[in-house]
Amino acid sequence: MYLKRKADAFLQAWKQSPGHLPLIIRGPRQVGKTETVRHFCQANYKNVVEINFVEKPQFKRVTEEGFGADSIIRLISRMDPSLRFEPGETLIFFDEIQEFPEITTSLKFFKTDGRFDVICSGSLLGIQRKRIESHSVGYKTDYFMRSFDFEEFLWSIGYPDDLADDMLKHMLKSRAFSKAELDKYFSLFMDYILLGGMPAVLSRYVERKTFEGTLDIQKQLLLDYQEDIQKYAEGLDQSKILSVFNSIPPQLAKENKKFQFSKVAKGARSREYFGCVQWLQDAGVISICYCLNFPELPLKGNYDESKYKLYLADTGLLVAMLDEEAAADLRNNQNLGVYKGALYENFVAEALSKAGYDLYYYKKETSTLEEDFFVRTADSLIPVEVKAGNTVSKSLRTLIASDHYPEIKEGIKFAHANIGKTDTITTFPYFCSFLLKRYLEKR
């Protein structure tokens, strides 16, 4: 059973674009890259030549006679004469290219040749990015694929494509949801918090219509990530990467969510560990939220590289990392306990990241002034607050009212609440966070 992805529309647009370049799909492991490409190929090409460099490492020899399209096709067909190469009707799919990033050197020649479409895909491509960039600069299109977002989750369980449009209309008109709508959406939101967006987890849930086995799959995915660290973390202390990764949930549970290496290991220093943080980010496993030097535009370059919060790229995996008592309380009683703020904040961070936002926060060292996230419009800076309840913090009001922050004229709050609006603060339920970018673009 195939579950619809947003990448489907991207792939169709890519194919229909005149003169399209070879495509590289990057992203963390097991987010559905291979399945999505196969689904696309079945519907759009007469012939598909799929080369998986993990399953068939012998195909790493296809560049022995050079990187030209003719020589590579000749060697592929020699190794597997059953494959068909029909110009204009064939897609060549190089999968798991983290095992053989050199194949991307051929993209230039396949583009020049022009007879075949080419897609490359693989996990942990952030780690190999520099090698790939040097091989294929100017001759590729990049697409970063993540786990299912909340909208894709709604599609997977049978809700129509236009449900998000209806939610967005409520947001644009500041029209509250009915009680029935709000209760239903919050129930779905809690299901998504527990399940996350990893395809294997959602497929099990959709097939059986229960949570049976989903936690086991999540825990196996976490073990797979740990195996990847042991396999691919060259030149870095693998135990340090694992320590950073495992330290994220308890640090998010603290009131001060700034990531502190002193809580990873006694005497740990940033210069010894930051490479581990970057490795996890490049692998697509985490997102980094940097602390702004000052809440003003521009955002890029206006942050302290030594101060940041870390979020899991998939909130369901964060839930699977919780201690057993906290996880049981969450599943049995929907009680988030000490992790309440962490899970809501991680969910919003995940939604913003999947919508294309870089993540920034602000904490003033000389006061209690602090804000969770910031996004921007063409000419203004908007603080975004995530509340476990439905109060408004003093910090949000201060940022809006103070003359010290002239680019901040309004704020947005995500809470366990309905849609509401004052002169300067707009409140949305948590589950609307995936629509924030569309809301700001259309209002």
Side-chain angles (χ1 to χ4, degrees):
M1 175 180 57
Y2 181 76
L3 301 179
K4 178 182 174 181
R5 304 300 306 271
K6 291 182 177 179
D8 299 338
F10 173 85
L11 287 168
Q12 287 293 341
W14 169 78
K15 186 179 189 305
Q16 294 167 10
S17 176
H20 52 268
L21 299 172
L23 176 64
I24 295 181
I25 299 179
R26 301 189 292 117
R29 68 175 297 153
Q30 299 189 40
V31 295
K33 298 182 295 298
T34 299
E35 185 179 13
T36 300
V37 173
R38 286 174 178 168
H39 178 77
F40 165 72
C41 291
Q42 289 171 2
N44 290 276
Y45 295 90
K46 182 178 179 181
N47 306 301
V48 179
V49 177
E50 181 176 336
I51 307 296
N52 185 305
F53 291 112
V54 169
E55 295 177 357
K56 297 180 179 180
Q58 66 270 23
F59 278 94
K60 294 178 183 179
R61 294 164 45 204
V62 298
T63 60
E64 285 181 349
E65 296 179 4
F67 292 94
D70 284 333
S71 63
I72 288 177
I73 291 168
R74 190 178 73 82
L75 289 179
I76 290 175
S77 64
R78 186 180 73 182
M79 294 181 186
D80 187 349
S82 68
L83 297 174
R84 295 290 176 264
F85 294 86
E86 185 177 343
E89 297 288 343
T90 302
L91 182 135
I92 302 173
F93 178 27
F94 294 117
D95 200 10
E96 302 288 3
I97 68 168
Q98 75 276 1
E99 294 290 330
F100 189 53
E102 289 78 9
I103 192 63
T104 56
T105 299
S106 69
L107 299 185
K108 172 181 179 180
F109 301 98
F110 275 109
K111 171 57 184 171
T112 302
D113 180 271
R115 289 176 293 165
F116 311 103
D117 285 348
V118 180
I119 295 179
C120 298
S121 177
S123 303
L124 290 164
L125 288 184
I127 312 305
Q128 304 283 2
R129 185 176 63 243
K130 291 182 180 178
R131 292 172 66 185
I132 292 170
E133 294 274 345
S134 65
H135 293 319
S136 56
V137 61
Y139 293 93
K140 64 179 176 62
T141 296
D142 287 296
Y143 182 80
F144 193 89
M145 193 166 175
R146 308 172 191 268
S147 62
F148 283 65
D149 67 9
F150 187 60
E151 183 174 14
E152 290 173 310
F153 165 71
L154 293 174
W155 295 344
S156 74
I157 58 176
Y159 283 87
D161 293 0
D162 60 0
L163 180 62
D165 293 334
D166 183 66
M167 289 182 177
L168 183 58
K169 288 178 183 177
H170 278 77
M171 296 170 69
L172 290 169
K173 295 180 180 180
S174 298
R175 187 174 76 239
F177 294 108
S178 70
K179 185 179 186 305
E181 289 173 323
L182 194 66
D183 290 347
K184 183 61 176 177
Y185 293 153
F186 267 121
S187 176
L188 293 168
F189 164 73
M190 285 304 302
D191 288 348
Y192 181 76
I193 286 282
L194 292 171
L195 292 165
M198 299 302 284
V201 179
L202 290 187
S203 293
R204 173 67 67 90
Y205 178 75
V206 171
E207 288 169 2
R208 304 199 178 189
K209 295 181 172 54
T210 72
F211 290 83
E212 176 190 353
T214 55
L215 179 59
D216 291 335
I217 296 173
Q218 289 170 323
K219 288 188 176 295
Q220 183 58 54
L221 288 167
L222 292 170
L223 290 174
D224 292 342
Y225 281 157
Q226 293 178 15
E227 289 180 6
D228 275 358
I229 290 170
Q230 295 171 353
K231 182 176 181 180
Y232 292 104
E234 301 174 359
L236 289 170
D237 189 326
Q238 297 166 356
S239 64
K240 288 182 178 179
I241 298 177
L242 286 170
S243 296
V244 169
F245 183 62
N246 291 326
S247 181
I248 293 174
Q251 293 214 34
L252 281 177
K254 302 297 183 184
E255 184 175 351
N256 177 13
K257 293 179 174 61
K258 174 190 170 186
F259 195 80
Q260 300 175 59
F261 291 108
S262 61
K263 289 182 169 58
V264 176
K266 186 176 181 180
R269 298 181 179 180
S270 177
R271 66 173 180 268
E272 300 170 345
Y273 278 82
F274 187 63
C276 303
V277 173
Q278 289 181 313
W279 193 96
L280 289 167
Q281 181 188 43
D282 286 343
V285 177
I286 67 169
S287 297
I288 302 177
C289 181
Y290 285 104
C291 182
L292 293 173
N293 293 316
F294 190 80
E296 64 182 357
L297 297 175
L299 292 174
K300 290 189 176 181
N302 174 30
Y303 60 86
D304 188 336
E305 292 183 346
S306 68
K307 298 177 183 177
Y308 45 82
K309 298 182 289 187
L310 300 183
Y311 298 101
L312 265 292
D314 186 270
T315 303
L317 293 183
L318 175 62
V319 172
M321 293 176 71
L322 302 183
D323 56 83
E324 291 186 9
E325 293 77 12
D329 199 17
L330 171 59
R331 293 176 181 277
N332 296 334
N333 307 310
Q334 293 194 3
N335 179 19
L336 280 65
V338 297
Y339 291 101
K340 182 186 295 184
L343 293 176
Y344 291 150
E345 200 170 307
N346 199 97
F347 174 83
V348 173
E350 179 187 348
L352 296 181
S353 183
K354 286 179 176 177
Y357 285 113
D358 293 325
L359 302 181
Y360 303 97
Y361 77 104
Y362 181 65
K363 173 71 171 72
K364 190 173 183 179
E365 295 293 340
T366 58
S367 76
T368 58
L369 184 66
E370 183 173 9
E371 198 54 68
D372 298 321
F373 302 104
F374 288 85
V375 296
R376 65 163 300 169
T377 62
D379 58 358
S380 66
L381 183 62
I382 302 176
V384 176
E385 184 165 278
V386 183
K387 299 296 290 185
N390 189 26
T391 59
V392 176
S393 75
K394 180 181 177 182
S395 291
L396 183 58
R397 291 194 180 98
T398 299
L399 286 168
I400 297 169
S402 174
D403 293 337
H404 294 297
Y405 314 105
E407 291 167 325
I408 298 176
K409 304 176 181 65
E410 62 176 318
I412 289 173
K413 181 183 68 172
F414 289 107
H416 196 284
N418 211 324
I419 294 175
K421 186 177 179 62
T422 67
D423 289 342
T424 57
I425 298 174
T426 304
T427 299
F428 296 121
Y430 306 117
F431 55 78
C432 287
S433 54
F434 78 96
L435 287 166
L436 179 61
K437 193 167 190 177
R438 278 178 261 181
Y439 166 76
L440 293 176
E441 289 173 347
K442 292 190 175 184
R443 64 177 184 167

